[in-house]
């Protein structure tokens, strides 16, 4: 079974959302992990926006990349430039992918305006994760 790591700065929003969507779309065909260079806890708004999409990430934990040094990942997806630039080296044969999603945790305004930013970013991540599973993961599984 292929192992996928989603990496972000604090493992609180974007990587948590991506982990939720990747698990959903992979439907048990891959092991999905997420981590951060730091750990900031899972953002309650990320939990809320995923719940709106029928995916429960409330039991997710915020993990540090160092916790996964002994796992030989097949894929590493960085979801922010800071994680891509700051990621410590760890030995892996993983294919690396990168997309710099906006950080919804930096949104300002009313609660509804902030949630709209979370929804927008969530939709971007959802689309990326669906495509990743369809185009990358499933083709890898077929050719392996």
């Amino acid at each position: 079974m292929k192992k996928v790591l989603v990496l972000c700065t604090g493992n609180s929003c974007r990587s948590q959302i991506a982990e939720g969507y990747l698990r959903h779309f992979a439907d048990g065909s891959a092991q999905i992990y997420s981590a951060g260079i730091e750990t900031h806890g899972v953002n309650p708004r990320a939990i809320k926006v995923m719940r709106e999409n029928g995916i429960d990430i409330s039991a997710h934990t915020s993990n540090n990349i160092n916790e996964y040094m002994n796992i030989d990942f097949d894929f590493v997806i960085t979801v922010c430039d800071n994680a891509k630039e700051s990621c410590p080296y760890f030995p892996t044969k993983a294919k690396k992918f990168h997309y710099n999603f906006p950080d919804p945790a930096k949104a300002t305004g009313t609660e509804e305006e902030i949630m709209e930013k979370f929804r927008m970013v969530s939709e971007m991540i959802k689309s990326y994760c669906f495509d990743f599973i369809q185009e990358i993961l499933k083709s890898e599984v077929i050719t392996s």
Side-chain angles (χ1 to χ4, degrees), residues 37-89:
I37 294 160
E38 308 160 3
T39 54
H40 297 165
V42 182
N43 187 301
R45 290 181 179 120
I47 294 169
K48 182 177 179 181
V49 78
M50 291 301 284
R51 189 175 295 129
E52 290 175 1
N53 283 282
I55 298 172
D56 183 8
I57 65 167
S58 63
H60 283 199
T61 57
S62 185
N63 300 87
N64 188 285
I65 182 64
N66 294 326
E67 297 173 47
Y68 298 135
M69 290 296 194
N70 62 341
I71 298 175
D72 192 15
F73 290 100
D74 298 287
F75 304 100
V76 174
I77 303 169
T78 49
V79 293
C80 68
D81 285 344
N82 185 51
K84 182 181 181 199
E85 294 160 8
S86 305
C87 182
Y89 171 78

Side-chain angles (χ1 to χ4, degrees), residues 83-120:
K84 182 181 181 199
E85 294 160 8
S86 305
C87 182
Y89 171 78
F90 58 100
T92 180
K93 66 181 189 311
K95 293 181 181 177
K96 294 177 178 66
F97 296 85
H98 175 70
Y99 193 97
N100 186 43
F101 293 100
D103 187 355
K106 292 186 175 169
T108 58
T110 66
E111 182 60 23
E112 187 54 34
E113 290 168 336
I114 294 169
M115 281 307 298
E116 277 307 310
K117 182 72 168 185
F118 269 83
R119 289 180 189 107
M120 181 198 75

Side-chain angles (χ1 to χ4, degrees), residues 1-7 22 26 28-34 65 68-78 90-98 128 132-133 136-144:
M1 188 177 291
K2 299 290 183 182
K3 295 177 189 75
V4 180
L5 174 64
V6 183
L7 189 60
L22 287 167
S29 66
Q31 292 178 317
I32 312 295
Y33 302 80
S34 70
I65 182 64
Y68 298 135
M69 290 296 194
N70 62 341
I71 298 175
D72 192 15
F73 290 100
D74 298 287
F75 304 100
V76 174
I77 303 169
T78 49
F90 58 100
T92 180
K93 66 181 189 311
K95 293 181 181 177
K96 294 177 178 66
F97 296 85
H98 175 70
Y128 180 90
F132 180 85
I133 295 298
I136 307 298
L137 187 69
K138 288 190 177 177
S139 69
E140 278 285 322
V141 171
I142 291 168
T143 60
S144 294

Side-chain angles (χ1 to χ4, degrees), residues 120-138:
M120 181 198 75
V121 172
S122 170
E123 285 302 311
M124 293 171 69
I125 295 172
K126 179 181 183 179
S127 177
Y128 180 90
C129 291
F130 180 82
D131 291 346
F132 180 85
I133 295 298
Q134 297 301 314
E135 298 168 14
I136 307 298
L137 187 69
K138 288 190 177 177

